[in-house]
Amino acid sequence: FRSRARFWSSAMALGVFGRCLLVLAAVAADRVSPRGLARRREAAVLVPQGGGIPLQSQLTAVPRALFAVGRGLASVVRRRPKKEPAAAEEERQVAVSHEVLRGARTLAGGFIVHMVLGTLYCWGNFIAYAPKSLQYFDTESIVGKQPDALVIVPLIIIFQTIGLPLGAELIRLVGQRATATLGGLTVALGVFLSSYATDLLTFMALHGACFGLGVGIGYTAPMSAGGTWFPRR
């Protein structure tokens, strides 16, 4: 019985001592904080003869002190160690070099894409080696007559202008890479299918319309990608 009584009396004494420490810490924090100073000014005006901190300030000082301590501990936990200036600068330089490398690869790919799309002007050289069935609608009366296949290049450019707004919209929907790929596949499909054409009308529909539409779809994507990587250069 004596040991139990001694234990509980010691526990109660420690509890009272801890509570007194908390109250003293809260009062000290309240004295130095701006809000505490403002409250003491109000108390001095309202109770000039009171000689101490009002009861309301004493009652609310402990929760405020605990909240301040918890907020300080949370800020310490969330605080991340700062990187050394040299390490941060090296990391930034590596990121910039990777960005420049990817941008240079994008520009190189854009040059290649535009070189392929620019083959539409090669038809002026190819027409001399095309068979007569792909040069004229009527192969019986061709003496002194300009080839009808000369309209293929203007036809390609017409369908290119139709494909340009489609390419811009596709860039917004699926991105630059997918748009350039779709344009290249359309161009390749038009050239491949036109190799099986046996008359000029079919050849114009495949090599003119399909080829020109692919050129228009893929034309804007390389320029948009280059501008994305190098917006200030």
Side-chain angles (χ1 to χ4, degrees):
F1 177 77
R2 289 180 179 177
S3 61
R4 288 185 179 180
R6 193 178 297 114
F7 171 77
W8 286 113
S9 61
S10 301
M12 291 178 63
L14 288 175
V16 172
F17 181 70
R19 186 176 182 85
C20 291
L21 288 179
L22 285 176
V23 171
L24 290 175
V27 171
D30 187 76
R31 283 183 177 277
V32 298
S33 65
R35 294 182 179 179
L37 294 175
R39 278 192 296 272
R40 281 195 299 278
R41 293 194 192 98
E42 295 177 1
V45 173
L46 296 177
V47 190
Q49 304 298 328
I53 301 176
L55 180 61
Q56 183 180 2
S57 298
Q58 296 182 11
L59 293 177
T60 59
V62 175
R64 285 199 306 274
L66 294 177
F67 177 74
V69 172
R71 186 170 57 182
L73 292 175
S75 64
V76 171
V77 171
R78 289 197 303 268
R79 188 178 303 159
R80 298 179 179 177
K82 294 183 179 180
K83 296 182 179 179
E84 295 295 332
E89 180 64 21
E90 182 179 357
E91 183 177 349
R92 188 188 68 82
Q93 291 180 358
V94 170
V96 169
S97 63
H98 287 174
E99 179 179 352
V100 171
L101 180 60
R102 293 189 65 182
R105 283 164 33 193
T106 302
L107 289 182
F111 278 117
I112 295 173
V113 169
H114 271 250
M115 286 178 64
V116 173
L117 300 182
T119 57
L120 70 93
Y121 301 105
C122 295
W123 177 246
N125 296 327
F126 295 160
I127 191 173
Y129 304 98
K132 300 301 180 183
S133 59
L134 297 182
Q135 293 187 27
Y136 300 93
F137 290 111
D138 186 8
T139 58
E140 295 182 356
S141 57
I142 60 176
V143 179
K145 184 180 179 182
Q146 292 289 339
D148 299 322
L150 290 175
V151 300
I152 288 181
V153 173
L155 185 64
I156 292 175
I157 295 176
I158 289 174
F159 276 89
Q160 177 186 352
T161 58
I162 296 174
L164 283 172
L166 297 178
E169 187 66 21
L170 286 173
I171 290 174
R172 188 182 66 84
L173 294 176
V174 299
Q176 300 150 346
R177 180 182 300 178
T179 303
T181 303
L182 179 61
L185 290 176
T186 307
V187 168
L189 182 65
V191 174
F192 177 74
L193 294 178
S194 64
S195 65
Y196 293 95
T198 57
D199 59 276
L200 182 57
L201 186 61
T202 305
F203 188 81
M204 289 174 60
L206 295 174
H207 192 82
C210 187
F211 187 92
L213 192 65
V215 171
I217 291 174
Y219 194 90
T220 314
M223 295 186 290
S224 174
T228 301
W229 281 107
F230 298 101
R232 292 180 299 276
R233 296 181 180 86

